[in-house]
Amino acid sequence: MPTSTLESDITKIELKDRPVEKSPIQLAMSRFGHNRLAIAALILLAFLIVISVAAPLLAPYNPIKRNIADRLHAPSLQYILGTDALGRDSLSRIIYGGRVSLWVGLASVVLSLVLGVPLGLIAGYLGGLLDGAIMRVMDLILAFPGIIFAIWLVSMIGPGVNQVILANALFSLPEYSRVIRGSVLTIKDADYVSASRALGCNSFQVMWRHIFPNVLAPIIVISSLSISGAILAGASLSFLGLGAQPPTPEWGAMLADGRPYIRTAWWLALFPGIMLTLVVLASNIAGDGLRDALDPRASTKRA
Amino acid sequence: MLTYILRRLFISIFLVLALIAVVFFMLRTVVPGDPALVLAGENAPPEVIEQIRHNQGLDKPVIVQFLYFLRNLSHGDLGRSSMTRELVTQRLVEAMPITLTLTGLCFVYTMLLGILIGVITAYWHDTWLDNLIRVLTVTGASMPTFWFGLMLILIFAVGFGILPVQGGLSVRGMILPTICLGTGSAAYLARLVRAAMLEVLNSDYVRTARAKGVRELGVVLKHALRNALIPILTVAGFQIGGLLGGAVITESIFGLPGMGTLSINAIHNRDYSLIQGTVLFIVVIYLFVNLLVDISYAYVDPRIRYN
């Protein structure tokens, strides 16, 4: 009978596509696992992290030891990526330089989360005057174009890697708090929130136990996407002399040091930039992959 | 429309006043050290320091100092540089043409290149050309501006020797800085143009135009691009602000004596009144540009006014 085969077909498809066994996290992970480019980017990032951590074992020379006799040495077998104006080995400095960049990227995002998540939760859930006050302060930060905010802040608290991390975190605060606030607003009237309030949870408990876990997806997306921006901003500030201070090896600062010798020592302007581009590219692609895997639209389609 | 402009103007003025207050008080409270001592110099005798403190009103409460600052500001006086003793406003006016020229040139370059590449990649979408340009733009977006600038210098100034290493207010001196700063935002704009064009190229009126026998170039430029352009223009407007911020870095790569270089030097010299003046000046220009963009957007798209 043609009708019965049609019915059996329908049942089969329904059974096969039932997603109930997989949690949202498992689904996201399997989606991410199918994104080959994102996996490659993640492997590259892991590789760079390993190199930075193992820098003392891998670097052929001491990255801050001067050797004026061998200054501005072109790439050779002895110095694979050449030496800088103070005779320091570029390869060793590049290997160590990843530490600063990766640390700035990671620490900026963590600090943004520590500051931005509570602000976004409070602004979204409590609303009212507090919400208005928080959002107006965010407007003030947004009034600074790009790196000007960091420049202004560093001018007051002095140059340095920690100051750059603080500047990055504060500058991305409006984005974090706005995104989180928006997500909170969409779920704060959900039944489970009202139910938890009816059961006697105070505001803090509602925000932390019931709202926060349900806005995790946008939080993860925004943090993964902002790592590359933080690394770039950190390197830019170091290039301007406001971040990592000499003799700390840092890619942006190395490029700034190489700038005066660009006519003769091309290697000083080339290699740190390649590393920086690779790190930023890898974190961009991995971040995009994570966003696609956690895409809120995909999860609503499922529900 | 007038109510909308007035409301936006009011918000901007309020924001500028709030920013002036924040910048002023932060500088007075966060920065360590005695401003009178900085003004007088390291080895000045105590009487001189006291004299300066009195003359500058630094012995008064901070709130009174702020009122003095506002009064001077209304006369266009942002104080004097503690390094060179020149008026801050004079330094700013000297540096401004460089930064504004650079930003303006970059804007034109961004628009031309972004729209051109966007239209090409949309028209020949999913071909090898589109894919190649996509790879280039994604890589380009990850490239730090300052490294891109160094590579431009290495290739065109050091390698071919056709353009100067040092930038300047001349045609040849502005080419590399413009490419350096503008290419990133052009790539960003190209992506938006491509998406908008793809949508429009599939629309009924484009099909109708083709069916009527309009030439292909006419279809793309007159029927498609014109309709795709409105949302693009607003984004492009807001990019001016990003270019203004990026100009700081570009100036320092090419040694251009603009406001960016001025502020960086001021930081290295701990010249606080100069830093304060530069930051306020750049922020006010930025807010002003955004205000103009908002108003022009509301003019183009009436729905915005009633939001």
Side-chain angles (χ1 to χ4, degrees):
Chain A
M1 286 292 194
T3 45
S4 68
T5 50
L6 193 65
E7 272 170 13
S8 66
D9 274 354
I10 290 170
T11 354
K12 239 191 267 167
I13 292 169
E14 275 181 354
L15 279 176
K16 210 182 91 205
D17 282 359
R18 262 173 57 182
V20 277
E21 283 84 6
K22 280 187 173 177
S23 73
I25 293 171
Q26 283 172 317
L27 272 173
M29 276 170 68
S30 81
R31 267 196 295 264
F32 190 84
H34 285 102
N35 188 343
R36 276 192 217 150
L37 195 62
I39 293 287
L42 208 60
I43 292 173
L44 179 62
L45 269 186
F47 178 66
L48 291 166
I49 292 173
V50 170
I51 288 183
S52 308
V53 173
L57 303 174
L58 295 170
Y61 296 91
N62 181 338
I64 56 173
K65 189 159 182 271
R66 300 172 179 203
N67 181 4
I68 300 298
D70 275 346
R71 71 190 293 266
L72 297 177
H73 203 290
S76 64
L77 281 177
Q78 192 189 359
Y79 300 107
I80 296 171
L81 300 182
T83 64
D84 68 6
L86 297 170
R88 299 173 297 195
D89 177 45
S90 283
L91 177 63
S92 305
R93 287 180 72 72
I94 282 176
I95 291 174
Y96 272 92
R99 291 182 158 197
V100 180
S101 288
L102 291 168
W103 167 243
V104 166
L106 203 70
S108 302
V109 169
V110 170
L111 192 58
S112 302
L113 283 174
V114 169
L115 300 172
V117 170
L119 282 180
L121 286 174
I122 290 171
Y125 183 69
L126 297 181
L129 223 63
L130 209 53
D131 177 27
I134 292 174
M135 287 301 124
R136 293 299 80 73
V137 174
M138 298 302 132
D139 286 346
L140 276 182
I141 297 178
L142 281 179
F144 289 87
I147 204 153
I148 299 293
F149 180 79
I151 287 178
W152 173 61
L153 203 68
V154 168
S155 76
M156 293 184 298
I157 57 181
V161 173
N162 292 336
Q163 287 86 327
V164 165
I165 292 170
L166 182 67
N168 275 344
L170 289 181
F171 185 65
S172 51
L173 213 48
E175 208 187 340
Y176 278 77
S177 50
R178 281 181 172 198
V179 167
I180 295 165
R181 176 179 178 270
S183 312
V184 172
L185 285 180
T186 61
I187 65 159
K188 70 184 271 197
D189 293 323
D191 285 340
Y192 62 85
V193 177
S194 316
S196 66
R197 251 202 318 261
L199 285 171
C201 286
N202 60 33
S203 293
F204 174 77
Q205 288 167 323
V206 174
M207 279 192 273
W208 180 244
R209 282 202 217 142
H210 301 280
I211 292 187
F212 175 66
N214 287 292
V215 295
L216 258 181
I219 291 176
I220 296 173
V221 169
I222 188 174
S223 347
S224 62
L225 287 178
S226 57
I227 287 181
S228 62
I231 293 176
L232 264 184
S236 305
L237 287 169
S238 291
F239 179 81
L240 293 174
L242 306 177
Q245 295 300 301
T248 312
E250 198 277 346
W251 297 332
M254 286 170 70
L255 288 171
D257 291 343
R259 168 73 178 82
Y261 307 98
I262 196 160
R263 285 186 183 282
T264 46
W266 53 269
W267 57 92
L268 292 178
L270 185 64
F271 299 119
I274 293 179
M275 294 305 292
L276 206 45
T277 307
L278 273 182
V279 169
V280 175
L281 188 63
S283 20
N284 268 338
I285 293 174
D288 278 348
L290 205 57
R291 183 197 49 204
D292 292 344
L294 286 166
D295 191 3
R297 271 171 301 174
S299 54
T300 50
K301 217 185 288 165
R302 201 178 52 84
Chain B
M1 189 68 198
L2 192 68
T3 8
Y4 176 80
I5 293 178
L6 284 177
R7 203 175 62 216
R8 287 292 295 117
L9 195 67
F10 179 74
I11 295 174
S12 298
I13 290 173
F14 185 76
L15 206 53
V16 166
L17 286 176
L19 275 166
I20 291 173
V22 168
V23 169
F24 179 86
F25 284 109
M26 287 289 276
L27 212 54
R28 285 299 141 93
T29 49
V30 177
V31 174
D34 181 355
L37 188 68
V38 176
L39 279 171
E42 290 287 326
N43 304 317
E47 312 88 74
V48 175
I49 298 175
E50 216 40 57
Q51 185 67 37
I52 285 176
R53 182 168 292 139
H54 184 71
N55 287 349
Q56 301 281 323
L58 290 167
D59 48 354
K60 304 246 170 30
V62 184
I63 188 80
V64 178
Q65 292 183 36
F66 181 58
L67 293 177
Y68 278 145
F69 177 73
L70 281 184
R71 189 193 62 196
N72 293 340
L73 190 64
S74 66
H75 303 156
D77 179 7
L78 279 163
R80 282 177 187 276
S81 152
S82 47
M83 282 297 287
T84 59
R85 302 255 153 238
E86 284 169 289
L87 283 171
V88 169
T89 33
Q90 194 193 330
R91 298 287 303 272
L92 285 172
V93 168
E94 283 165 13
M96 193 174 60
I98 296 258
T99 309
L100 292 189
T101 309
L102 180 61
T103 312
L105 283 173
C106 279
F107 182 66
V108 175
Y109 169 80
T110 298
M111 290 298 283
L112 291 179
L113 190 69
I115 291 176
L116 182 71
I117 290 182
V119 168
I120 288 175
T121 49
Y123 191 77
W124 285 289
H125 64 98
D126 297 321
T127 60
W128 64 269
L129 187 69
D130 184 23
N131 290 331
L132 175 74
I133 291 178
R134 185 178 310 142
V135 171
L136 284 179
T137 46
V138 170
T139 318
S142 305
M143 222 166 170
T145 321
F146 55 91
W147 187 53
F148 184 53
L150 289 179
M151 289 301 101
L152 288 174
I153 293 176
L154 207 53
I155 295 168
F156 294 100
V158 178
F160 295 124
I162 44 178
L163 289 164
V165 172
Q166 185 84 9
L169 259 186
S170 64
V171 177
R172 278 162 50 82
M174 274 292 173
I175 293 177
L176 288 184
T178 304
I179 297 176
C180 170
L181 179 56
T183 304
S185 41
Y188 177 70
L189 192 66
R191 276 216 316 258
L192 298 177
V193 174
R194 180 181 180 275
M197 279 295 281
L198 274 180
E199 209 167 285
V200 175
L201 280 174
N202 284 323
S203 64
D204 288 338
Y205 54 83
V206 166
R207 203 169 309 134
T208 311
R210 283 210 175 108
K212 282 196 310 187
V214 179
R215 262 187 300 162
E216 204 50 28
L217 195 66
V219 171
V220 172
L221 293 184
K222 271 197 193 151
H223 296 260
L225 185 60
R226 273 200 190 175
N227 285 293
L229 220 52
I230 296 172
I232 293 166
L233 281 179
T234 45
V235 179
F238 287 116
Q239 292 224 295
I240 300 178
L243 293 174
L244 204 58
V248 175
I249 298 171
T250 311
E251 283 171 13
S252 97
I253 304 168
F254 293 94
L256 289 166
M259 292 197 286
T261 310
L262 193 65
S263 62
I264 299 296
N265 288 341
I267 290 177
H268 289 311
N269 295 332
R270 297 177 179 277
D271 193 338
Y272 290 113
S273 44
L274 193 52
I275 297 170
Q276 182 174 264
T278 329
V279 167
L280 280 179
F281 204 65
I282 294 178
V283 169
V284 168
I285 294 180
Y286 177 60
L287 287 176
F288 182 66
V289 169
N290 280 355
L291 178 69
L292 288 185
V293 173
D294 269 351
I295 291 173
S296 58
Y297 193 21
Y299 180 74
V300 175
D301 186 349
R303 280 171 300 178
I304 300 292
R305 286 175 230 165
Y306 304 105
N307 204 334

